[in-house]
């Protein structure tokens, strides 16, 4: 109760997903590990609240719907990949199918299904599709191709990336996210624009030292 700048968006499915990801990243699953009971409870919450069409954004409010769904999809896919638990396979595939159906015709994703995309929301969906591929789930190649086409539109003339194709002033945040997606979608360090984008991030936007724990966030872009 002493914290300042508390979040204002409500999305318990998203918050649960973001809390589960570090456990999975540390090798803690619902089957093995010191925190298996915690992980199992979180996964059960996601599964119990998924919708019939695979949507994992139960009660997400504001602009959080597709963020939430992408984050929860990553969790299910990562847990499936790590454990092979058959109980997760169908929900994870259905969540992937929902991402596929939610894609805009120009290749992006935004707050609600089939809304014209932005680079921020796209990143979470591409990460989810990458996790799905690693878990052996089906990801349509045309979905990935369309995501690449969106990134082509969001890329500026100097190989950096903007928030939306129509608001194409590049930022370090969107450039970092877009380059990560480019690597997931088949780029390597020799691909066009990659070296320039990485140098832009390292030279101009990497802090000289980590921020102190008590340092307040100076900009929402830091997410």
């Amino acid at each position: 109760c002493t914290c300042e700048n508390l979040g204002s968006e409500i999305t318990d499915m998203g918050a649960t997903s973001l809390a589960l990801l570090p456990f999975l990243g540390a090798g803690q699953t619902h089957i093995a590990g010191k925190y298996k009971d915690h992980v199992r409870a979180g996964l059960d919450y996601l599964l119990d609240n998924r919708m019939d069409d695979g949507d994992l954004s139960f009660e997400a409010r504001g602009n959080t719907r597709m963020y939430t769904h992408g984050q929860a999809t990553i969790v299910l896919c990562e847990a499936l990949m790590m454990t092979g638990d058959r109980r997760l396979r169908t929900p994870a595939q259905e969540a992937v199918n929902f991402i596929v159906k939610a894609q805009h015709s120009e290749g992006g994703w935004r707050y609600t299904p089939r809304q014209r995309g932005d680079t921020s929301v796209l990143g979470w969906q591409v990460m989810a599709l990458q996790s799905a591929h690693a878990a052996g789930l089906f990801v349509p190649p045309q979905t990935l191709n369309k995501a690449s086409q969106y990134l082509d539109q969001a890329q500026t003339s100097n190989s950096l990336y903007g928030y939306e194709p129509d608001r194409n002033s590049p930022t370090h945040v969107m450039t970092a996210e877009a380059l990560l997606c480019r690597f997931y979608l088949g780029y390597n360090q020799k691909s066009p624009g990659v070296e320039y984008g990485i140098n832009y991030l390292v030279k101009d936007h990497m802090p000289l030292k980590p921020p102190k724990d008590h340092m307040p966030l100076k900009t929402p872009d830091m997410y």
Side-chain angles (χ1 to χ4, degrees):
C1 60
T2 60
C3 294
E4 298 179 0
N5 302 318
L6 298 177
S8 59
E9 302 293 347
I10 304 298
T11 168
D12 290 345
M13 295 283 276
T16 300
S17 300
L18 290 177
L20 286 170
L21 284 172
F23 284 109
L24 296 173
Q28 302 286 326
T29 73
H30 59 297
I31 293 176
K34 179 179 178 181
Y35 300 101
K36 62 183 179 181
D37 292 340
H38 300 79
V39 177
R40 184 185 304 112
L43 285 172
D44 286 345
Y45 178 78
L46 298 183
L47 295 174
D48 290 345
N49 289 286
R50 69 189 183 97
M51 301 179 208
D52 292 339
D53 59 356
D55 188 355
L56 295 169
S57 63
F58 175 70
E59 290 192 342
R61 304 178 193 173
N63 295 334
T64 66
R65 184 177 179 187
M66 287 306 297
Y67 281 113
T68 296
H69 180 79
Q71 292 157 0
T73 302
I74 295 171
V75 169
L76 294 187
C77 292
E78 294 287 323
L80 171 63
M81 178 178 61
M82 293 173 69
T83 66
D85 186 349
R86 294 181 180 179
R87 182 178 69 122
L88 301 176
R89 179 165 292 275
T90 295
Q93 183 64 66
E94 290 177 348
V96 171
N97 296 344
F98 186 85
I99 291 175
V100 172
K101 294 177 182 178
Q103 189 176 32
H104 187 265
S105 59
E106 295 180 5
W109 290 267
R110 208 173 188 205
Y111 307 135
T112 58
R114 291 172 292 281
Q115 186 179 6
R116 193 165 186 261
D118 70 55
T119 307
S120 178
V121 178
L122 173 132
W124 287 99
Q125 313 315 309
V126 173
M127 285 184 68
L129 297 176
Q130 170 71 8
S131 293
H133 176 76
L137 299 174
F138 176 67
V139 179
Q142 60 268 30
T143 300
L144 303 179
N145 290 337
K146 288 168 64 177
S148 293
Q149 292 170 13
Y150 169 86
L151 290 171
D152 290 341
Q153 298 172 45
Q155 187 172 359
T156 64
S157 59
N158 58 357
S159 299
L160 304 179
Y161 293 85
Y163 176 66
E164 293 176 280
D166 293 339
R167 293 165 56 188
N168 221 10
S169 297
T171 70
H172 59 290
V173 179
M174 293 299 97
T175 296
E177 187 164 349
L179 285 175
L180 177 62
C181 292
R182 288 292 202 186
F183 280 117
Y184 286 154
L185 295 168
Y187 268 39
N188 58 48
Q189 284 186 295
K190 295 182 179 179
S191 297
V194 169
E195 183 177 2
Y196 182 86
I198 291 175
N199 287 336
Y200 164 77
L201 295 175
V202 171
K203 292 179 179 179
D204 297 338
H205 295 288
M206 288 290 287
L208 296 178
K209 58 183 179 179
K212 296 179 181 179
D213 290 342
H214 65 270
M215 182 181 294
L217 295 181
K218 299 297 184 183
T219 165
D221 280 352
M222 202 165 179
Y223 82 97

